Amino acid sequence: MTFLTMVTQLANGLLVSVEIFVLTLIGSLPLGLLVAFGRMSKCKPLRLIIQVYISIMRGTPLMLQLMVVYFLPATLFGAGLPRFAAVIIGMVLNYAAYFAEIYRGGIESMPVGQYEAAAVLGYSKPQTFCKIILPQVIKHILPSVTNEVITLVKDTSLAYVVSVMEMFTLAKKIASSQTTLMPFVIAGVFYYIFNLVVALIMDRCEKKLSYYR
């Protein structure tokens, strides 16, 4: 297999990695906000359930979670999820737990006086949160979100545990058949470029929101 063929195949795998990355973000960011609301709920049973969920997601390896999501339905019901869908579901559930704690920290850091001032101005609670609190929360939590997003780029490689043909899986397959480490070197370069692009985008977002500096 020529070098150009390896690059072409791994580039196709990179597209799958990007797809996993994008779909995970689309699912986990809003779900994380809902989980954060549950974590801060005054309903004790709901709060306890959310705490257990977050504890499990943060306390066990993502690789194991992906295996459970893929293999458990087949074991219990005789019919499993498609591999790609299992990866997306597992990663969304995992990252939603991390984002939830980031959201919660940001929301709880807001001064009580802002809620009181909004009430005096006649804002309802939803209006206060959407128009006053949330924009400030996003500004404060963006560095922490950036760290998780960069980690997600690398975690897309864990899809190999259920044999989804993303870039790392293809690199392993090519390296095994060609008995060479070159596919891993190429994949490493692709991961670095992918991560660099994401980091630059997130850095630009942070600068856009640093309007008081």
Side-chain angles (χ1 to χ4, degrees):
M1 182 180 291
T2 65
F3 177 79
L4 183 59
T5 303
M6 285 186 191
V7 171
T8 302
Q9 290 190 14
L10 290 173
N12 290 331
L14 177 61
L15 293 178
V16 178
S17 297
V18 171
E19 191 174 359
I20 293 171
F21 172 82
V22 171
L23 291 176
T24 299
L25 278 186
I26 290 173
S28 60
L29 284 170
L31 179 59
L33 186 57
L34 293 177
V35 173
F37 288 147
R39 178 75 170 79
M40 297 182 293
S41 172
K42 294 179 181 179
C43 176
K44 190 172 181 179
L46 175 61
R47 193 167 65 248
L48 180 60
I49 291 170
I50 295 297
Q51 286 175 340
V52 170
Y53 158 70
I54 291 174
S55 177
I56 292 173
M57 291 296 106
R58 297 172 70 189
T60 57
L62 176 55
M63 183 185 298
L64 177 60
Q65 294 167 21
L66 295 178
M67 294 174 68
V68 169
V69 172
Y70 179 67
F71 291 110
L72 188 61
T75 302
L76 295 178
F77 309 112
L81 295 168
R83 296 177 191 275
F84 188 81
V87 168
I88 300 302
I89 291 171
M91 296 191 76
V92 166
L93 291 174
N94 178 274
Y95 272 84
Y98 285 92
F99 286 136
E101 288 298 272
I102 294 173
Y103 284 132
R104 183 176 68 87
I107 293 170
E108 291 182 346
S109 70
M110 291 295 103
V112 177
Q114 296 204 27
Y115 294 93
E116 295 171 346
V120 170
L121 293 172
Y123 283 88
S124 65
K125 287 185 178 181
Q127 287 176 324
T128 299
F129 182 78
C130 294
K131 294 184 178 181
I132 299 174
I133 302 301
L134 187 58
Q136 295 181 76
V137 168
I138 292 172
K139 181 175 182 291
H140 285 109
I141 69 173
L142 198 55
S144 297
V145 170
T146 298
N147 288 337
E148 291 300 322
V149 170
I150 289 174
T151 300
L152 174 57
V153 172
K154 295 174 283 187
D155 280 350
T156 58
S157 63
L158 293 177
Y160 85 89
V161 299
V162 294
S163 301
V164 170
M165 287 297 166
E166 47 72 56
M167 186 166 58
F168 187 74
T169 310
L170 285 172
K172 282 185 63 181
K173 183 178 179 182
I174 295 170
S176 177
S177 63
Q178 301 295 313
T179 61
T180 174
L181 292 177
M182 184 55 67
F184 291 119
V185 175
I186 299 170
V189 172
F190 278 152
Y191 276 121
Y192 177 75
I193 294 171
F194 185 9
N195 228 330
L196 184 62
V197 170
V198 171
L200 289 173
I201 292 172
M202 297 303 291
D203 183 61
R204 188 174 181 83
C205 290
E206 287 187 40
K207 289 179 179 177
K208 284 280 187 182
L209 290 175
S210 298
Y211 33 75
Y212 291 127
R213 293 181 184 177

